[in-house]
Amino acid sequence: MIFGLTGGIATGKSTVAQMLRERGAVIIDADQVAREVVEPGTEGLARVVATFGNEVLDEAGRLNRPALGSIIFHDEGARRKLNQLLHPLIMGKMRQDAEKARQADPRAVIIWDVPLLIEEKMTPLVDEVILVYVPESIQLARLMDRNQLSEQEAKARIASQLGIEEKKQWADYVIDNSGTLEETEKQVECLWNDLSLKNG
C-alpha cells in the first residue's frame, strides 16, 4: 500500500513526517522530488527552459527559482503549463522510488508526502490519506509567527489551498496537531501500528 500524507500550510506536516520516518516509514517527499526532476542535465530542466526561456537559469545553468517564480506567480496559465510539464516527471519518479523501497523491503510502509495531494486530485493514486490537522485559527497564528507575516498575508496563503475542514472529508486518518508534541506523538504511534498491520 501507498499512504498519502498531507495537511495545510503550518499544520505541522513535516513534524509528523519526521515522527513516521523515525519509526521506519519510507517517506517520499513530493517537494524534494520536484527539485530533483529539474536538476541540471534532467529532462525536466530541459522542458522548463524550452517553455520559459534561458532567463529561468542562473549563471551555473541551474534553475533560478525566483526568476521562474516571478513568471508563474502572476500568471495562472504559466503556472498550469509548468505543472503539466513537470507533474508526469514527478509522479514517475515517486512511483520509481516507491518501487525501489518495496524491492528493498516488501513490508516497507511507504508514505507519499504531498502538500497538495487533494488539490492536485492525487488521492486516487494512494490507498489511504493521512491528514495533519489543526483548526484554522491555530494555522493562522502559527503561520504569522513562523513566517513573520501580517494577518492579511497569512490569510491569503491559507486561502490559496483547500480549507483544512474540507480536507478532513478526504482523510482516512486525521492527526490532530493542535496540542503538545507528546499528544501528537501518541497519535502517530497509534497510526504507525495501524499502518504496519495493514502492510504486514
Side-chain angles (χ1 to χ4, degrees):
M1 292 178 84
I2 291 180
F3 302 96
L5 176 67
T6 193
I9 190 167
T11 55
K13 184 176 61 62
S14 306
T15 304
V16 170
Q18 186 52 37
M19 288 176 181
L20 287 163
R21 186 181 279 118
E22 283 163 9
R23 285 164 171 77
V26 176
I27 306 283
I28 297 171
D29 180 340
D31 286 345
Q32 176 63 37
V33 171
R35 286 191 286 274
E36 289 169 12
V37 300
V38 289
E39 288 286 322
T42 57
E43 186 190 339
L45 188 59
R47 285 184 184 187
V48 172
V49 172
T51 306
F52 297 101
N54 283 325
E55 62 267 26
V56 298
L57 293 176
D58 63 16
E59 292 78 46
R62 303 180 77 84
L63 183 64
N64 181 337
R65 290 176 188 284
L68 179 62
S70 65
I71 296 172
I72 64 166
F73 192 66
H74 305 290
D75 182 345
E76 182 60 37
R79 188 158 64 236
R80 268 205 302 272
K81 185 153 225 163
L82 181 69
N83 281 340
Q84 283 162 3
L85 294 176
L86 297 182
H87 201 261
L89 296 175
I90 294 166
M91 290 313 308
K93 176 88 169 67
M94 288 178 76
R95 285 201 181 97
Q96 228 176 348
D97 289 354
E99 197 42 53
K100 248 186 243 165
R102 196 172 281 127
Q103 280 169 3
D105 175 7
R107 293 182 57 188
V109 174
I110 298 168
I111 297 176
W112 281 5
D113 177 347
V114 187
L116 299 177
L117 184 82
I118 296 162
E119 289 89 336
E120 297 284 346
K121 302 185 172 40
M122 286 171 65
T123 50
L125 305 176
V126 297
D127 296 294
E128 292 187 319
V129 174
I130 305 159
L131 175 73
V132 182
Y133 169 86
V134 298
E136 201 169 299
S137 56
I138 294 180
Q139 201 182 0
L140 184 65
R142 284 185 186 170
L143 187 58
M144 286 166 65
D145 186 44
R146 185 183 78 184
N147 292 33
Q148 307 295 296
L149 299 174
S150 71
E151 186 172 343
Q152 202 177 352
E153 288 169 323
K155 277 184 170 164
R157 289 205 188 177
I158 291 171
S160 73
Q161 299 182 344
L162 193 65
I164 195 74
E165 298 300 334
E166 210 174 322
K167 283 188 176 186
K168 245 182 166 174
Q169 297 163 23
W170 294 84
D172 299 286
Y173 296 97
V174 175
I175 298 285
D176 186 331
N177 190 33
S178 51
T180 63
L181 268 180
E182 288 72 28
E183 286 165 343
T184 300
E185 194 89 56
K186 272 185 198 150
Q187 294 174 69
V188 170
E189 185 59 33
C190 292
L191 170 68
W192 175 249
N193 292 336
D194 223 36
L195 303 187
S196 302
L197 275 175
K198 286 188 173 173
N199 254 35

